[in-house]
Amino acid sequence: MLPWTTYEAMADAALNQPEAFWLEAAQRITWQQAPTIACQNRADGWHDWFAGGVLNTCYNAIDRHVEQGRGTQTAFIWRSCATKEQQVVTYRELQGRVAGFAGGLRALGVEKGDRVLIAMPTLVETAIAMLACARLGAVHVVVFAGYAAAELAGRIEDVAPKVIIIASCSFQGQTALPAMPILNDALRIAAYKPKACVIAQREACPAPLLPVRDHDFYSLEQSTPVAPVPVHSEDPLYILHTSGTTGKPKGIVRDNGGHAVALALSMPLIYDCKPGDVFFTTSDLGWVVGHSYGVYAPLLSGCTSLVVEGNVSASAMRMLCQDHAVKCLFTTPTQLRVIRQESRNLAGVLLPELARIFVAGEYAEPTLLGWARSYFQRPVVNHWWQTETGWSITAHFFGLPEQEPKALMNDIGRPVPGFFPAIMPSVPEEPGGEIALKLPLPPGCLAGVWQSGNIMVPASYCDESGYYYRTFDEGTITADRAVHMLGRSDDVIKVAGRRISGVQIEEIISSHPAVYACAVVAISDALRGQRPVAYVVVAPQYAANMSVMRSEIIGQVNQTIGKWVGLKDVHFVAQLPTTRSGKILRKQISL
Ligand code: AMP
């Protein structure tokens, strides 16, 4: 039950009595030691949530539901659109598998605070590995399985994991892609070596295990179960890398307590989901939405989480929602575009259990939302997110009795409690500009960035006054408190909702010996929202060989980051527009 009936009452409570607001929200979590302080400033100028509180996130996600009689309820449904396999796991079964696997990790030497890197596609085993880390107080670092060896190596070096967990393969369409060669290449590139590797063998493509280094996932699951390890609220739960304004991805650190409270509040407030409801997230577990709404939020709230491996077609979407009585669907605008394209000649679908659909990650054109509403005959809304924030910054609040004004439905909504956006106009008196968020950020947001074993907040995250977090998104705020997005102010590109830094792609292209200079910008893509385009200046002696150069450049980007980046357009130009100081003017190119 929520204590507010209107958005205004809720927003005012969060603004005027933040301590009371968040301590009350904290009661949605079972603490070993309940916090008495909500937000506390840190010496480095950032803030901790619920300092003094002691809990275990895995206990809150699994054990307490079993203790409360939900043991036979389905916790997880996994379906593979690639292999057609499925798994259905109850809360009690999940408890057994997670506690056993945690025992296996402990036997490999994993203790509280150790990092464990998980490079797996969306599988139940991925969630089990994440939750087992949480059970031990270890820090999971999930890496998208589509990354190439160099990207994986970078993350291994960054977090120095004691153990690395992979599945023997992932799938691109119906094609199995063996993961062992990528792991072996990454371990050759990285100077750091883990203590052990764990392999979840898949029938389609079992991997040869190396003696001593490699261990079998399912054998480890049979280890002596371990109990949840109590951790401090501000102890890290996970690190998740994301692209920023610089080439090197940043490891966003999420705490335990703030994260659990924020996600537990979001389920009834934003998604209007109750224990037992089925929540379907199409995001890969390797991205932030997969972490928050594929694993933690549904389980913290006693819901059933449906996650899917592979591309979801229009007919698969209909079948999945029907078969599993999905109440809430969380997907991307790109996924809706795919369904629209495929279902051009189909009538709308009627899915009686489906209550509403949420999208995030990229701009959703009102025509797309309009189409989706008539196709599914349900409310469809977009809300604004960042990996850094871990949950939505603005949203539509289906859990409040008050109906939202219709005019807001096509945009990204109003601020979630605890987020106080302000516009930093680039041109004085202009209504638009970069959207900044007043500090402190609410619970659930980044505790900092992982830097050589420390958790720090880079200066670039704050504005000059030190009072605001910079989102690098531009927009406006209207009198009804609604936020409207205009786009990114930096070089981040969203490909099908996945974030990649243009600078990172430029660094790879520039490493080609023939490249003098290059700039990577985003262009609109009818299906995937955006895609990168490279403008390249090459040394004159290579000018005759443009088609070879083009395929070398694309090959280098695919090999270093992964094919999902979708670089197809490489334009060779005589020069790039620059400032007087020689900085490339990417904005001029994108115009
Ligand atoms: P990520 O960290 O991958 O979730 O990417 C965050 C970025 O995606 C944001 O800073 C925005 O640029 C963009 N983004 C996220 N949600 C939306 C949305 N609902 N509408 C438009 N852009 C969005």
Side-chain angles (χ1 to χ4, degrees), residues 361-363 382-383 385-387 473 485 488 494 499:
E362 52 172 314
Y363 174 69
N382 190 11
H383 56 341
W385 263 72
Q386 290 193 331
T387 303
D473 281 320
M485 275 276 271
R488 287 287 294 195
K494 294 303 298 267
R499 183 162 149 185

Side-chain angles (χ1 to χ4, degrees), residues 422-436 473-478 484-487 489:
I423 300 296
M424 310 274 177
S426 36
V427 181
E429 316 293 321
E430 283 281 311
E434 185 180 326
I435 312 169
D473 281 320
E474 291 183 336
T476 58
I477 303 174
T478 42
H484 312 272
M485 275 276 271
L486 298 170
S489 67

Side-chain angles (χ1 to χ4, degrees), residues 254-305:
R254 197 88 57 212
D255 65 352
N256 273 274
H259 172 255
V261 171
L263 294 188
L265 173 64
S266 74
M267 287 297 274
L269 177 62
I270 299 172
Y271 306 99
D272 193 19
C273 271
K274 291 181 265 313
D277 287 344
V278 181
F279 198 95
F280 176 15
T281 311
T282 60
S283 167
D284 188 285
L285 294 184
W287 305 113
V288 66
V289 174
H291 278 52
S292 295
Y293 290 95
V295 179
Y296 286 110
L299 297 187
L300 286 165
S301 312
C303 294
T304 296
S305 178

Side-chain angles (χ1 to χ4, degrees), residues 108-230:
L108 295 177
V110 176
E111 295 294 342
K112 185 173 161 184
D114 288 338
R115 273 81 55 213
V116 174
L117 190 143
I118 304 168
M120 297 168 94
T122 297
L123 303 173
V124 172
E125 288 74 5
T126 316
I128 288 174
M130 292 164 74
L131 290 158
C133 291
R135 196 169 188 86
L136 292 172
V139 181
H140 61 71
V141 186
V142 181
V143 177
F144 174 55
Y147 276 129
E151 282 292 300
L152 179 58
R155 283 153 174 81
I156 293 171
E157 297 247 286
D158 190 38
V159 302
K162 203 165 236 180
V163 170
I164 297 179
I165 309 172
I166 65 162
S168 59
C169 68
S170 59
F171 280 86
Q172 198 160 46
Q174 314 293 313
T175 313
L177 304 175
M180 205 53 134
I182 299 174
L183 175 66
N184 289 338
D185 281 353
L187 288 177
R188 257 191 297 277
I189 300 168
Y192 175 85
K193 307 291 173 221
K195 209 168 163 277
C197 296
V198 177
I199 322 294
Q201 297 283 20
R202 303 190 70 182
E203 229 179 271
C205 185
L209 302 192
L210 281 184
V212 184
R213 188 195 75 174
D214 294 346
H215 301 261
D216 175 64
F217 189 101
Y218 300 101
S219 309
L220 287 184
E221 254 191 41
Q222 303 306 318
S223 308
T224 310
V226 298
V229 173

Side-chain angles (χ1 to χ4, degrees), residues 385-404:
W385 263 72
Q386 290 193 331
T387 303
E388 287 84 348
T389 61
W391 60 318
S392 54
I393 306 163
T394 59
H396 307 267
F397 303 91
F398 285 92
L400 293 176
E402 175 197 46
Q403 277 229 327
E404 186 177 68

